[in-house]
Amino acid sequence: CAKVIDGKLVAKQIREEIAIEIAKMKDAIGVVPGLAVILVGSRKDSQTYVRNKKKACEAVGIKSYEVNLPEDTSEDEVLKHIATFNGDPSVHGILVQLPLPHHMNDENILNAVSIEKDVDGFHPLNIGRLAMQGRDPFFVPCTPKGCMELLHRYGVEIKGKRAVVIGRSNIVGMPAALLLQKANATVSIVHSKTKNPEEITRQADIVIAAVGVANLVRGSWIKPGASIIDVGINPVDDPESPRGYRLVGDVCYEEASKVAGAITPVPGGVGPMTIAMLLSNTLESAKRIHNFK
Ligand code: NAD
């Protein structure tokens, strides 16, 4: 039976480490990291994400700045807020909560964030540097960074191993594949047009699944002993749950945990790591800007 990769526990440890470093930084140079979050519109899920990020910041000593704008805000207005935060020395990280309303051009908005404050790691220059050998981005996107951190903290060897990433989105799959490749794995990407995904996935020592299809990856897709990182968060009907649904991953946990060597649960795997990595990126940014080692 596979070892459980406990993201909740690791995320807690990381938040504790971050809080200690922030206290040291405050003592030494009188600076605390600052994170600015811009939310446009009133999507319930986005509001919840922003609230959780704010709470997590407060718990470790990061100062958070929040701008809430109505759905019909113009792109120029959002760009103005970004410019203000770019120039504000107490802000070390800027995050624009996605998705943006349809009338806005995501690319214009993401391009406007200073690459040195792009704690989400979505600026094209940061992604470009992630793709290049011998270059490093200022920031790595939080969810894939969390996946790598779990592999490192559980001692999973990456160098020379075969890895398969299922999904190629800009925010998870693609950067996850780039990171594995930078860590010297041999990487294949499986996506919606891939033929024989099962056969390809079965070659992998490491699988990162970021698809958004409940239980897509079955036990038969898994190489015995492989390490499985399941990013998917999918609601499925469950009349026994008080909410009427429960969350499952992209990997059929029941089957895969009988074959794999290690596996993340859903919930409690990658999910808690994403916010922990946002805090880590914000601290890293403040340390870099203030040249604090
Ligand atoms: P997305 O919809 O942007 O991308 C999905 C990708 O999966 C696409 O590249 C597509 O080609 C691929 N795909 C679709 N159907 C497929 C199939 N049948 N076989 C193989 N590949 C297929 O999604 P996303 O934003 O990358 O998110 C993926 C999942 O991860 C979702 O469930 C999302 O909720 C979850 N997620 C979790 C976190 C977290 O913090 N844990 C963060 C982001 C996303």
Side-chain angles (χ1 to χ4, degrees):
C1 206
K3 180 161 52 170
V4 178
I5 299 178
D6 187 342
K8 205 172 159 190
L9 180 73
V10 174
K12 182 169 174 279
Q13 283 165 355
I14 291 174
R15 289 197 310 269
E16 285 165 6
E17 292 162 15
I18 290 172
I20 292 169
E21 274 203 69
I22 289 176
K24 276 190 194 152
M25 187 173 172
K26 192 176 172 185
D27 270 359
I29 59 169
V31 171
V32 295
L35 175 68
V37 180
I38 300 175
L39 173 63
V40 189
S42 50
R43 279 177 66 120
K44 285 273 170 302
D45 55 346
S46 293
Q47 285 171 340
T48 306
Y49 293 138
V50 168
R51 196 167 52 242
N52 289 342
K53 287 170 187 174
K54 199 174 165 186
K55 264 204 294 204
C57 280
E58 278 160 13
V60 295
I62 292 175
K63 187 160 169 40
S64 63
Y65 303 82
E66 203 182 324
V67 173
N68 288 296
L69 300 167
E71 179 83 21
D72 61 357
T73 306
S74 70
E75 200 172 295
D76 274 352
E77 183 67 23
V78 178
L79 292 173
K80 266 187 217 151
H81 284 284
I82 293 174
T84 306
F85 286 134
N86 280 343
D88 183 341
S90 59
V91 170
H92 306 94
I94 303 169
L95 180 159
V96 183
Q97 184 65 42
L98 301 177
L100 285 160
H102 292 302
H103 67 277
M104 273 181 209
N105 181 329
D106 284 24
E107 208 180 333
N108 290 345
I109 304 278
L110 296 180
N111 276 337
V113 175
S114 156
I115 57 165
E116 291 171 45
K117 296 188 178 184
D118 172 40
V119 284
D120 255 344
F122 293 158
H123 192 293
L125 281 176
N126 274 324
I127 298 285
R129 286 179 176 216
L130 184 62
M132 292 168 86
Q133 289 299 308
R135 298 279 171 83
D136 284 316
F138 283 96
F139 302 99
V140 172
C142 300
T143 301
K145 185 176 176 176
C147 297
M148 297 301 285
E149 192 66 32
L150 286 176
L151 292 171
H152 290 314
R153 294 213 180 202
Y154 275 82
V156 175
E157 205 184 320
I158 300 175
K159 185 175 163 189
K161 298 295 179 185
R162 287 214 139 199
V164 163
V165 178
I166 313 179
R168 55 176 167 183
S169 72
N170 287 339
I171 63 166
V172 192
M174 178 268 292
L178 293 173
L179 281 167
L180 285 164
Q181 181 255 135
K182 264 207 160 142
N184 296 313
T186 301
V187 185
S188 302
I189 299 176
V190 166
H191 49 75
S192 55
K193 306 287 186 294
T194 300
K195 298 207 170 93
N196 301 324
E198 176 171 351
E199 199 179 295
I200 295 167
T201 307
R202 206 165 31 233
Q203 295 175 17
D205 304 299
I206 298 165
V207 177
I208 296 183
V211 187
V213 176
N215 301 323
L216 173 76
V217 179
R218 310 299 302 260
S220 61
W221 293 39
I222 309 288
K223 176 178 172 176
S227 301
I228 314 296
I229 305 289
D230 188 355
V231 183
I233 304 177
N234 310 294
V236 293
D237 291 341
D238 181 0
E240 278 168 33
S241 154
R243 295 180 295 186
Y245 71 92
R246 67 193 159 89
L247 299 175
V248 302
D250 293 338
V251 179
C252 176
Y253 187 89
E254 203 192 345
E255 292 178 10
S257 60
K258 292 189 181 121
V259 191
I263 185 167
T264 58
V266 176
V270 177
M273 291 297 289
T274 297
I275 290 193
M277 293 299 105
L278 174 66
L279 305 175
S280 152
N281 279 353
T282 306
L283 170 61
E284 210 179 281
S285 178
K287 284 167 73 175
R288 185 162 41 220
I289 289 173
H290 296 280
N291 200 15
F292 181 73
K293 300 272 174 332

